[in-house]
Amino acid sequence: MEWLIILIIIVILAVVVLSFVPLGLWISALAAGVHISIVTLIGMRLRRVVPARIVNPLIKATKAGIDVDVNKLEAHYLAGGNVDRVVNALIAAQRAAIPLSFERAAAIDLAGRNVLEAVQMSVNPKVIETPQVSAVAKDGIEVIAKARVTVRANIDRLVGGAGEETIIARVGEGIVTNVGSAANHKEVLENPDSISQTVLDKGLDAGTAFEILSIDIADVDVGRNIGARLQMDQAEADKNIAQARAEERRAMAVAQEQEMRARVQEMRAKVVEAEAEVPRAMAQALREGKLGVMDYYHMQNILSDTQMRNAIAEENKPEKPGDER
């Protein structure tokens, strides 16, 4: 019975040790010709490093003939890098005869760029398609162009170099500049390759992580007549200004008319006031003897005769069309 308990304890200890010590991984490394000690693997466990994440890429690099130190791989893993991707990039670079050291690849990986994709792009260039770029020629016609930019990754400028967005922005700026300098939109439609050549000569890949191989104009369309639209807007604005000024003059004329009417009423009031003084003057003249009674009656007769003539003239006056009785 005691031997059975001892055997169970030994089995449990063996299971714990085997779960802590990656014995199978160590055997695989030895079979692949990678010399790594059990102590090193245990140390990885203590440093909370997954041994398989280090040993498997190390086996892959050794089989590819790349000499990589296990401590560098572990340091890159602890720094948050992708060890497997870095080793794959080194193998791809070696096969493509691209000079790439482990330190450089690790720096690119820690910078947040996909170093394996960069190596693959160095071998197989990538085509970046820009969105539709709208530009206006000197004749006011809008030209809409779309370009395809063939780029190749520049390994030396991957750290600190600008990305695809910068390439697209610079190509779009070059298209706008080239179309804007054209005398008319027909020149752009006849020679779209002049746009790509002009843009390519500007060295738009400076300071980026790519090398521009070619810029091809994929599509050119004619858009709106911006010049005519601007002229129409200007004419509409001029019309509104003229209408505003005319309305201002009309308002001034109405105000002046109202002022003249007020002055007429004022003058009429003065006339009525002056006429009111006539009977007083006549009474004063009668009192002073300056006006006789017969003179007064003679003046009244003249007034009555004048009123009669005015009444007859009103009756014989021809009616105007539209007058209502």
Side-chain angles (χ1 to χ4, degrees), residues 44-45 47-55 57 69-86 102 106 109-110:
M44 290 182 186
R45 290 285 194 188
R47 289 187 291 271
R48 295 184 179 181
V49 176
V50 181
R53 298 288 182 87
I54 304 298
V55 176
D69 188 13
V70 66
N71 292 325
K72 292 183 179 180
L73 294 178
E74 187 176 354
H76 185 66
Y77 178 84
L78 291 173
N82 192 321
V83 177
D84 190 63
R85 186 165 55 193
V86 170
F102 175 81
D109 184 65
L110 292 177

Side-chain angles (χ1 to χ4, degrees), residues 92-93 95-98 117-126 152-153:
R95 296 294 185 268
I98 298 175
E117 182 181 346
V119 173
Q120 292 173 347
M121 195 183 301
S122 298
V123 179
N124 185 20
K126 180 181 180 181
R152 180 171 57 196

